[in-house]
Amino acid sequence: MDPSFIGPFKRPRLTPSQIRRTDIANIAKTVMGEAEDQGPVGMEAVGRVIRNRYDQGRGRSFTEVINDPKQFTIWNNKLKDRAQAIGRMRPGQGNPQFDEAYEVAKRVYYDTVPYVHDEVGDVAMDADLYYNPKKASPKWAKHKKVPYLGTIGDHNFHRDYNRTPKPGTISGTLRYRGGK
């Protein structure tokens, strides 16, 4: 998939610095759409899932990870109007929630999302899957190779041990610490 494509918006081929800016913007838009009502901690947790999936090699860019079909609810066709509204958002345009999502996205991109001694580090550090149990009940959530790691806001976080992280990445050095 073209790394410049996000949701219903198609853009021309990009240079590496444009890809970096596009990735950060697309992480911010995804974090905003998935966790805007979860506060900064919930946004960081969703961002950590995006980072972990990228580290596992699920895409050559963060945008490819985000565009993986049926992975992030905000980009599914059911929320097309909301996705288009989020797609038009830019930092510094008077939306403090999006500004926070953009700061989270930069931390995700540069892999500086906090790990230790905070709620996000304790629950989402190893997570590569999450869902809202009030809105969904995926089959994978009950599989023994996909253990529950914890809950942040409305989202339950899991680690899929059927997937292998790319060697030499942060996610490639993590170990399962338990859970429920």
Side-chain angles (χ1 to χ4, degrees):
M1 178 172 282
D2 182 356
S4 63
F5 179 77
I6 180 70
F9 311 102
K10 184 135 174 93
R11 297 185 183 99
R13 283 256 178 242
L14 304 173
T15 67
S17 67
Q18 289 171 317
I19 289 173
R20 182 189 70 244
R21 288 192 305 270
T22 299
D23 273 349
I24 292 170
N26 289 337
I27 294 167
K29 292 169 187 179
T30 303
V31 164
M32 177 77 172
E34 296 286 311
E36 68 183 306
D37 60 344
Q38 306 296 307
V41 173
M43 287 188 200
E44 296 241 350
V46 170
R48 171 52 47 198
V49 168
I50 295 168
R51 180 73 209 197
N52 289 342
R53 289 179 181 189
Y54 174 78
D55 286 349
Q56 291 171 346
R58 294 195 197 184
R60 291 173 297 175
S61 69
F62 287 95
T63 299
E64 280 188 8
V65 170
I66 291 164
N67 281 329
D68 199 11
K70 298 182 182 179
Q71 296 301 304
F72 295 98
T73 306
I74 190 60
W75 303 120
N76 295 344
N77 287 333
K78 294 177 189 174
L79 300 173
K80 189 174 184 177
D81 293 339
R82 181 72 183 130
Q84 287 178 343
I86 288 174
R88 289 188 294 271
M89 291 182 180
R90 302 288 180 269
Q93 291 185 336
N95 185 330
Q97 279 185 306
F98 186 75
D99 291 344
E100 178 66 34
Y102 197 82
E103 291 304 311
V104 166
K106 288 194 287 188
R107 290 191 293 273
V108 168
Y109 187 89
Y110 293 109
D111 204 13
T112 60
V113 175
Y115 289 114
V116 210
H117 308 301
D118 65 10
E119 193 175 358
V120 173
D122 292 340
V123 174
M125 183 168 67
D126 291 342
D128 56 2
L129 297 167
Y130 70 95
Y131 72 102
N132 182 337
K134 296 176 187 172
K135 297 180 180 179
S137 182
K139 290 180 185 177
W140 56 256
K142 294 175 179 39
H143 194 281
K144 67 182 178 181
K145 287 234 178 198
V146 185
Y148 169 81
L149 300 175
T151 299
I152 297 176
D154 294 337
H155 294 121
N156 289 350
F157 290 83
H158 295 257
R159 173 70 183 202
D160 184 354
Y161 281 93
N162 295 310
R163 298 227 179 233
T164 311
K166 290 192 293 191
T169 62
I170 296 283
S171 293
T173 63
L174 303 179
R175 290 186 170 62
Y176 176 58
R177 292 185 306 277
K180 295 181 182 177

